[in-house]
Amino acid sequence: MRTLNKEIQSQISPRKALEILNEGNHRFVNNLKVHRDLLEQVNDTRDGQWPFATVLSCIDSRTSAELIFDQGLGDIFSIRIAGNIANTDILGSMEFACKVAGSKLIVVLGHTKCGAVKGACDHVEMGNLTELLSKLQPAVYEEQVTESDRTSKNSEFVENVAEINVKRTVKSIIQRSYILEQMIENGEIGVIGAMYNIETGQVDFYEDTAFIKDENRPNLDLKQLVK
């Protein structure tokens, strides 16, 4: 597998970046990992990096984006925080990844049985974690399907909140970053939400959160779409 360089990165469209990640996850699920000489990739990337995608995921030890999508050194930016929420520092990191380093796709990757989501569902308060979990509370309140047992003991409730949280984060990225919003409108980058199943290893992308300007969606009115 070739190490990415500037020329290869420039030829990857946002939609193609999504296809590459999808194919990588398919290999992961089927235990067909591509052979890579990681030390060679260390040498190849010593003077620069040209990742084609940026993945915002949870700190959960089972959700390493490089492994889940079968990618090597220099292929993706991996941003990790409990509950895969987007704060100002993370938005700044995404702006660097896309505007400066040329990344073509942002993926907000949630996962099943998320501990942070469970904590938010139970309204846990503990030190600095309290402030972090408060950022997940809007997703808890937005979940209107579950009428009883709105706690972490209800797995269906937890997964509903996790999905809502991913979709809210996608919208938040567009609403809070003018730089990224403009890049999406210009077709330079795309953003999409997804969910990783910790039992199967499979990633399901939410096409209803795919803000990707291509032949299928040549005109994106982001202000309308993210309402």
Side-chain angles (χ1 to χ4, degrees), residues 17-30 55-57 62-70 76 105 107-112 166 192-207 209:
L18 177 57
E19 291 175 5
I20 294 172
L21 292 179
N22 228 338
E23 291 167 0
N25 181 243
H26 179 77
R27 291 194 301 272
F28 174 71
V29 171
N30 290 279
V55 181
L56 169 61
S57 60
R62 299 162 291 183
T63 62
S64 169
E66 290 85 353
L67 296 178
I68 289 170
F69 293 115
D70 188 26
I76 63 174
L105 180 70
V107 178
V108 178
L109 183 66
H111 70 93
T112 59
V166 166
I192 191 169
M195 187 65 64
Y196 173 69
N197 190 314
I198 64 170
E199 296 182 1
T200 66
Q202 182 171 329
V203 172
D204 291 316
F205 289 95
Y206 297 136
E207 274 297 330
T209 66

Side-chain angles (χ1 to χ4, degrees), residues 117 121-123 139-162 164:
V117 171
C121 290
D122 291 339
H123 306 284
V140 175
Y141 296 129
E142 190 173 315
E143 205 278 1
Q144 297 296 316
V145 176
T146 307
E147 296 182 357
S148 61
D149 193 13
R150 294 174 61 87
T151 70
S152 63
K153 294 180 180 179
N154 185 341
S155 60
E156 184 176 353
F157 175 57
V158 171
E159 303 314 334
N160 288 346
V161 172
I164 292 170

